[in-house]
Amino acid sequence: MSSINNIDVFFSAQSFQENELRNKSVVVIDVLRATSTIVTALMNGAKGVIPVEDMGEASRISQSVDSDNYLLCGEKDGTKIDGYDLGNSPLEYSRDTVEGKTLIFNTTNGTKAIKKSLGSATIYIASFLNLSSIVNALSVEKNEIVLLCAGWKGRLALEDMLLAGNIIHNLSGGSLSDMANDGAKVAFGLYEKYGNDISSVIFQSNHAQRLKQIVGTDDLEYCAQTDICNLLPVLHEGIISI
Ligand SMILES: O=C(O)[C@H](CS(=O)(=O)O)OP(=O)(O)O
Ligand SMILES: [Mg+2]
């Protein structure tokens, strides 16, 4: 694998320039909730997920495809957008609803982070739900790795940084050298502080406080689960699939 010292962690999609990702493999992390929802949709048989930048792009794509095979999905301010089939709660993405469908997916932070990564060599989609699959893939990754936390509107999100810390902990075998990048050290330090107490960190995060007001706590409990599936979603030609 590429050296652990070549792993960096970015705290939001606004914290870097696209050209910094050239020839690198990027792991997009948006625990609450976009990447947890993408993983869930694919686990439940969705054919693929098309991440989009905004409502305009979502609407252009949805008008050009056969609506029987596509679902228009996503949120604004945490709530399903009027006229969309589904919002951004992973619990909506049941097998009955998504099996065999391609999803056009539009969220505040997660899909924007994915779109900003398009110039990289590889884009993986990570959540706690598929943590081990991501760690396994990265353990043989040849390129330099960026763990791209989606954050919230340019700010750091605790739950995303904690997943980055868990990934680094697993890859490093439990210790990080002085040569590691600052971002990796911060994420690793968060892991060392909280260990595997993922649920309590997620519940105390700013994003969780916001989501509780909008959708309650079911999504938070769901997204705090580790390794409920063995999936490695990758973006290829604009579509995320497994
Ligand atoms: O739906 C979510 O959880 C958030 C919406 S908001 O930023 O809290 O308004 O979107 P995401 O892109 O999954 O962070
Ligand atoms: Mg988020």
Side-chain angles (χ1 to χ4, degrees):
M1 149 196 163
S2 113
S3 160
I4 192 85
N5 295 338
N6 286 333
I7 299 184
D8 210 345
V9 180
F10 293 172
F11 68 87
S12 82
Q14 288 83 357
S15 66
F16 65 96
Q17 304 294 319
E18 280 96 331
N19 60 14
E20 293 178 64
L21 300 182
R22 202 170 299 135
N23 300 324
K24 297 189 179 171
S25 288
V26 178
V27 180
V28 181
I29 296 173
D30 188 356
V31 171
L32 299 175
R33 295 169 289 174
T35 57
S36 299
T37 298
I38 292 169
V39 168
T40 301
L42 294 170
M43 175 179 82
N44 285 332
K47 196 168 164 193
V49 179
I50 303 173
V52 301
E53 183 77 35
D54 53 28
M55 286 166 68
E57 187 184 5
S59 142
R60 276 194 300 283
I61 296 175
S62 72
Q63 283 165 19
S64 68
V65 295
D66 167 12
S67 60
D68 286 350
N69 299 320
Y70 287 77
L71 295 173
L72 188 51
C73 310
E75 55 69 43
K76 181 157 177 20
D77 297 329
T79 306
K80 179 167 90 72
I81 297 166
D82 277 350
Y84 277 35
D85 299 298
L86 299 172
N88 189 21
S89 167
L91 302 176
E92 295 174 81
Y93 290 70
S94 64
R95 185 163 288 277
D96 281 353
T97 310
V98 302
E99 189 165 30
K101 306 277 189 186
T102 299
L103 315 178
I104 303 161
F105 194 48
N106 169 30
T107 76
T108 305
N109 308 292
T111 60
K112 288 178 179 56
I114 297 167
K115 295 290 278 189
K116 191 147 179 208
S117 310
L118 287 179
S120 62
T122 315
I123 301 174
Y124 299 110
I125 304 298
S127 66
F128 282 107
L129 309 175
N130 66 332
L131 171 60
S132 291
S133 300
I134 292 290
V135 170
N136 290 340
L138 297 184
S139 68
V140 292
E141 177 64 55
K142 299 278 190 300
N143 296 322
E144 290 185 26
I145 295 166
V146 170
L147 305 182
L148 171 52
C149 299
W152 184 75
K153 298 185 179 177
R155 299 190 208 165
L156 186 148
L158 190 64
E159 67 282 2
D160 294 343
M161 200 47 95
L162 183 67
L163 177 53
N166 270 262
I167 292 171
I168 290 168
H169 167 78
N170 279 289
L171 289 172
S172 69
S175 70
L176 213 52
S177 89
D178 292 345
M179 300 305 290
N181 282 302
D182 290 357
K185 285 178 181 152
V186 168
F188 185 76
L190 201 61
Y191 172 85
E192 286 192 311
K193 177 170 167 60
Y194 291 109
N196 291 315
D197 198 3
I198 293 158
S199 185
S200 70
V201 178
I202 288 185
F203 268 76
Q204 70 184 247
S205 70
N206 292 159
H207 199 153
Q209 302 305 324
R210 268 194 315 278
L211 273 184
K212 270 188 219 168
Q213 310 299 320
I214 306 167
V215 296
T217 58
D218 288 354
D219 285 8
L220 307 179
E221 279 161 15
Y222 178 84
C223 295
Q225 301 173 98
T226 300
D227 283 332
I228 66 166
C229 62
N230 201 0
L231 298 182
L232 184 65
V234 177
L235 184 93
H236 182 63
E237 294 182 353
I239 303 185
I240 302 161
S241 62
I242 49 176

